[in-house]
Amino acid sequence: MSQRLESAMLRAQLDSAMLAAAVGVDVKTVNRWRAGRVPHRRTRLEVARVLNESEEALWPQTRPDLAAGAKEKIDIVGYAYPFVFELLPDAAEIIAQKCRNGAQVRLAFADPDSAHVAERDALEQMNGTLAGRIQNALSMLGELDSVSGCQVGLHSVHLYNSVFRFDDQMIVTPYLIRARGYQHTAFHLRRLSSHGIFSSFADQVEQLWGSVAPYQQGVTHGKTA
């Protein structure tokens, strides 16, 4: 179900029939949107206007692909983030091609064998599955760890957010207590100066990267995973 659309309709005090009449579609079409279908862009814009929301707020999956536009720098720091490779099956090849074109890429995952992963697992009530999610994400990297310009590493740091940087844009997801990854909020930041929030998170990535241990595909702590 499209919870964002549902919430916007509640705020606007519109049901399916009322929204359908306002944008000139059949009520069954609106119900399909509520079930998860994404409308065509012209219709999305009209719905957003009627509900006094932005298109991106109602359907975040329609946002521009930041990874596709990055040319110089990609930094991803988090615990597992397997969704990057699950939602985009050729993500590893896309990232590899970025490196071949001169981009610098750094991917930091949490060390699945570290104590802080077990603590995070308990905090998010994941029933012992976080380490496996990390291993699963690592298994989808292909040969990225051996591509020139791409660095893959494991960290043992308690994180309070994940950072996804693509040149001068960044998605930051602060962690919420007892919430799983997909439930965390996300902030879209742009670098407008050498100071500010963007630079603060960029500095955090640099500090964390200083303690990252290089990762070799299928090997953790010198042992085959």
Side-chain angles (χ1 to χ4, degrees):
M1 179 177 291
S2 177
Q3 294 182 347
R4 291 171 181 256
L5 179 59
E6 288 284 326
S7 297
M9 289 173 65
L10 286 173
R11 286 192 294 272
Q13 299 182 333
L14 296 178
D15 60 17
S16 293
M18 296 166 69
L19 180 58
V23 298
V25 300
D26 189 272
V27 66
K28 293 181 180 179
T29 299
V30 174
N31 287 333
R32 285 194 287 268
W33 300 342
R34 297 176 69 175
R37 181 173 295 183
V38 178
H40 294 297
R41 186 165 192 273
R42 179 178 297 178
T43 307
R44 293 199 304 268
L45 293 175
E46 181 62 13
V47 173
R49 183 191 67 78
V50 170
L51 296 178
N52 195 29
E53 298 280 354
S54 68
E55 175 192 6
E56 295 81 5
L58 293 174
W59 294 283
Q61 62 268 53
T62 64
R63 293 170 180 166
D65 186 346
L66 298 183
K71 297 180 180 180
E72 300 178 357
K73 191 178 188 67
I74 296 177
D75 283 330
I76 302 181
V77 174
Y79 278 87
Y81 51 89
F83 63 88
V84 171
F85 304 94
E86 292 170 345
L87 296 179
L88 190 61
D90 56 348
E93 178 53 35
I94 291 174
I95 293 174
Q97 189 58 50
K98 294 289 182 181
C99 293
R100 299 185 192 107
N101 292 338
Q104 296 297 309
V105 176
R106 298 184 298 184
L107 309 176
F109 298 82
D111 184 338
D113 297 328
S114 63
H116 82 288
V117 164
E119 293 175 7
R120 174 61 61 176
D121 183 283
L123 181 64
E124 295 193 11
Q125 302 175 340
M126 298 183 68
N127 300 316
T129 62
L130 179 54
R133 287 174 60 79
I134 297 171
Q135 293 285 10
N136 183 47
L138 291 170
S139 73
M140 292 187 280
L141 292 177
E143 302 299 322
L144 275 181
D145 58 318
S146 61
V147 174
S148 178
C150 182
Q151 301 178 66
V152 181
L154 302 177
H155 68 80
S156 298
V157 177
H158 280 285
L159 296 181
Y160 301 97
N161 50 72
S162 290
V163 175
F164 303 82
R165 177 180 179 175
F166 306 96
D167 289 345
D168 292 337
Q169 298 192 65
M170 182 185 292
I171 302 295
V172 177
T173 59
Y175 295 140
L176 304 176
I177 295 176
R178 296 187 179 87
R180 298 192 179 187
Y182 68 90
Q183 295 173 313
H184 298 152
T185 55
F187 300 130
H188 183 188
L189 307 178
R190 289 182 172 86
R191 182 169 65 178
L192 301 178
S193 71
S194 57
H195 305 285
I197 298 176
F198 183 100
S199 294
S200 295
F201 283 110
D203 289 343
Q204 175 184 272
V205 171
E206 295 302 325
Q207 293 179 39
L208 182 144
W209 197 263
S211 63
V212 165
Y215 170 76
Q216 182 180 349
Q217 183 70 23
V219 178
T220 305
H221 299 310
K223 299 179 180 179
T224 302

